Amino acid sequence: MTKVEAFRALHRRPSPDDPLVLPGPWDAASARVLAEAGFPALATPSAGVAASLGHADGRTPADEMFAAVARIVRAVDVPVSADIEGGYGLAPKELVERLLETGAVGCNLEDSADGVLQDPHRHADRLAEVRHAAADRLFVNARIDTFGQAGTDPEQAAVQAIERAALYVAAGADCVYPIGAPTGVLPLLRSGIQGPINVHGTVTGDGPSPAELGELGATRITFGPELQRWAAGALREMVPHLGQGVF
């Protein structure tokens, strides 16, 4: 079984309360820690990688992002999916080739640019081109940004997400990711979306557990840049004690 086949198989969960948990490494060292902890696959967060490279979120040059993903993939034996934001303006064929060169088995592609939602039909066409170029070599996770629009009612955003998800799944997306969806609308999303759903989890323990998110409809759970930010926060707390020998 290839890595992408193994990654696809991980999305076929034995029960609703057992979603696939995909923590997000931001560099090779964090990837090794997570793989050694026993996670069967990883998913890079673009914002976390950007921070590690000294860039603002959404401002990482494509070459640097692909190089960072390649380093993470080389560091571990488990499958790695890559967050490649909106695709950096690359044509679908080139985008797929660049991804495959890194060794990644999947990718996130978002349907907004600079906070503005893209036309869903045009985005679906792009996803179809990516799927055609990739064939079965990549697992495509289509991020849906309706919940990030200011002033949008959560239920209205959920209805819009369901409409977009239908187009994206028909275009060949393997999974959809309605990022920022409140837990209260997850059952609505689950009832209206065919196939796997990616839900954002939390590393702080102040939100639903993975099992609870699974019961609400999540197929898989990612954490965005939360682990990288938590690690940076832990380092800030340690710094004042450097030289004192006490942590």
Side-chain angles (χ1 to χ4, degrees), residues 33 64-65 68 148 171 194 201 208 223 225:
V33 169
E64 290 191 44
M65 183 61 76
Q194 298 296 314
F223 303 92

Side-chain angles (χ1 to χ4, degrees), residues 131-222:
R131 165 55 65 215
H132 178 74
D136 291 327
R137 296 175 295 172
L138 288 173
F139 185 100
V140 178
N141 187 36
R143 200 181 93 174
I144 300 173
D145 290 354
T146 57
F147 290 95
Q149 304 305 300
T152 303
D153 174 77
E155 289 201 3
Q156 179 184 355
V159 170
Q160 293 173 349
I162 290 169
E163 293 170 348
R164 286 174 175 259
L167 293 171
Y168 301 164
V169 170
D174 298 286
C175 183
V176 296
Y177 180 16
I179 188 170
T183 55
V185 302
L186 292 183
L188 174 60
L189 292 172
R190 177 70 283 168
S191 68
I193 293 175
Q194 298 296 314
I197 299 177
N198 190 143
V199 171
H200 189 280
T202 178
V203 300
T204 58
D206 57 357
S209 68
E212 290 169 332
L213 289 173
E215 293 280 10
L216 290 170
T219 308
R220 76 182 210 178
I221 298 169
T222 54

Side-chain angles (χ1 to χ4, degrees), residues 14-34:
S15 65
D17 63 352
D18 183 29
L20 173 62
V21 176
L22 295 172
W26 56 95
D27 60 12
S30 59
R32 289 194 186 101
V33 169
L34 295 169

Side-chain angles (χ1 to χ4, degrees), residues 7 17 38-39 57 66 102 105 125 133 157 174 180 216 230 245:
F7 189 63
D17 63 352
F39 290 99
D57 184 19
F66 286 121
T102 70
V105 300
D125 289 343
D174 298 286
L216 290 170
W230 181 88

